[in-house]
Amino acid sequence: MAVCVSLLFFGIKHAEAASSINEVTANWMWPSDGVITDSFGTRQGQHMGIDIASSPGTSIHAVENGVVSKSYYSDTYGNVVFIKHDKNFETVYAHLQARMVQKGTRVHKGDVIGKMGSTGDSSGVHLHFEVHQSHWTVDKKNALNPMLALGEVKVGQAVAAVQKDQLAVETAGRLMDDVKAEYVVQAGDTLYSIAKKMNISVWELKEKNHLKNDLIIPEQKLILK
C-alpha cells in the first residue's frame, strides 16, 4: 500500500511539474524547422535533449527572450550556444555550423542565433536542443525533457520554427515534403522496432536504404522517406 501511495504521489507531482513548466513556457517557439530524429532519455538515458534534423545552414532561433550565457566550440557539442532566460531556464543549441551570437548578447524570441550543422560529436546534420531548470551543469542534473516546454511530438514528426500555437501542424506538414527524414540507429534497435516506431514497413526501410539483410549497427543513419 505504501508503495502504491508513493507512486501515486510521484505521478501527481510529475503532472504538476509538467503543468507548471508548460505554463511558464507557453510562449516559447520551436528552435528550428526540421524533423525530430531523437528524443529525451534515449541512449541508455544519456541523451538529455531532443534532435531536430534538416538541411545544413538551416536557421536556429532563440526559443524565448534571454541573454547568451555561453558561446563556444567543444569536442562534444561542437559550436554551441547557451541562453539564460528570464524565468529561470537555460537552453542549449549544439552542433551548429556557425554561431551568430556571443556571450552577453541580449536576444529576443525568434532571433537567429546560429546555423544548423554537424560539428563536435555528431553523426549527421541536426540541432541538439536541451532545456535546463535554473542552469546547465556538467552532469546535466537540471535537464528537463524539452517536449514539456515545446509540446509532445514523436520521432519522425516535422516541426516548424513558429510559436507552438500558430498553425504549427499545417506548417510542419509542408516541411515534411521538403525534408529528407533520417533515423540514427541506437544500441538495441532492430529494423522491426525502428519500422514500428517510425510507422514504416521493414520492406520500405530496406528498400530505401538498399539493405540486403536485416543487419544494422549503432550510429548508422537510415533514410525514412
Side-chain angles (χ1 to χ4, degrees):
M1 175 65 75
V3 172
C4 292
V5 171
S6 296
L7 288 174
L8 177 61
F9 177 75
F10 176 79
I12 293 172
K13 293 299 287 183
H14 180 76
E16 289 176 349
S19 176
S20 176
I21 292 167
N22 196 262
E23 288 176 11
V24 173
T25 63
N27 292 319
W28 283 24
M29 63 181 283
W30 285 89
S32 177
D33 296 342
V35 172
I36 302 295
T37 55
D38 205 353
S39 55
F40 182 86
T42 60
R43 308 178 198 180
Q44 291 75 53
Q46 299 302 305
H47 194 239
M48 295 292 98
I50 60 173
D51 292 344
I52 304 173
S54 190
S55 305
T58 296
S59 293
I60 306 300
H61 304 265
V63 298
E64 180 56 293
N65 301 340
V67 176
V68 176
S69 49
K70 301 182 187 73
S71 178
Y72 63 92
Y73 183 92
S74 79
D75 291 338
T76 52
Y77 278 141
N79 282 311
V80 59
V81 171
F82 296 67
I83 299 177
K84 195 77 167 69
H85 300 286
D86 299 334
K87 296 183 178 178
N88 210 31
F89 287 97
E90 188 166 28
T91 51
V92 180
Y93 311 75
H95 305 312
L96 305 180
Q97 179 187 88
R99 290 174 283 121
M100 302 179 70
V101 290
Q102 299 300 319
K103 180 178 179 179
T105 303
R106 164 65 68 171
V107 296
H108 297 90
K109 181 176 73 177
D111 285 354
V112 177
I113 61 170
K115 297 293 183 179
M116 188 179 293
S118 184
T119 57
D121 186 8
S122 169
S123 59
V125 177
H126 72 284
L127 168 69
H128 173 75
F129 176 72
E130 298 177 6
V131 176
H132 297 264
Q133 182 84 53
S134 180
H135 63 281
W136 178 91
T137 63
V138 173
D139 61 5
K140 302 188 181 183
K141 66 179 181 180
N142 297 326
L144 300 170
N145 185 347
M147 292 184 190
L148 294 176
L150 297 173
E152 189 69 31
V153 292
K154 297 179 180 179
V155 171
Q157 183 174 338
V159 295
V162 295
Q163 188 168 318
K164 52 189 180 181
D165 60 356
Q166 293 179 343
L167 302 177
V169 173
E170 179 184 346
T171 307
R174 294 198 301 271
L175 270 171
M176 202 62 171
D177 294 331
D178 301 324
V179 177
K180 181 171 70 174
E182 294 181 340
Y183 179 85
V184 179
V185 177
Q186 308 299 315
D189 277 344
T190 65
L191 282 181
Y192 175 79
S193 68
I194 295 171
K196 185 176 180 181
K197 184 189 301 184
M198 307 306 296
N199 195 29
I200 188 174
S201 71
V202 172
W203 180 86
E204 286 178 292
L205 269 178
K206 294 176 74 170
E207 182 77 9
K208 293 177 185 300
N209 292 279
H210 309 291
L211 300 176
K212 299 186 186 305
N213 53 50
D214 293 347
L215 180 64
I216 53 175
I217 59 175
E219 304 305 322
Q220 179 179 351
K221 288 188 292 186
L222 298 177
I223 296 172
L224 302 177
K225 61 169 293 190

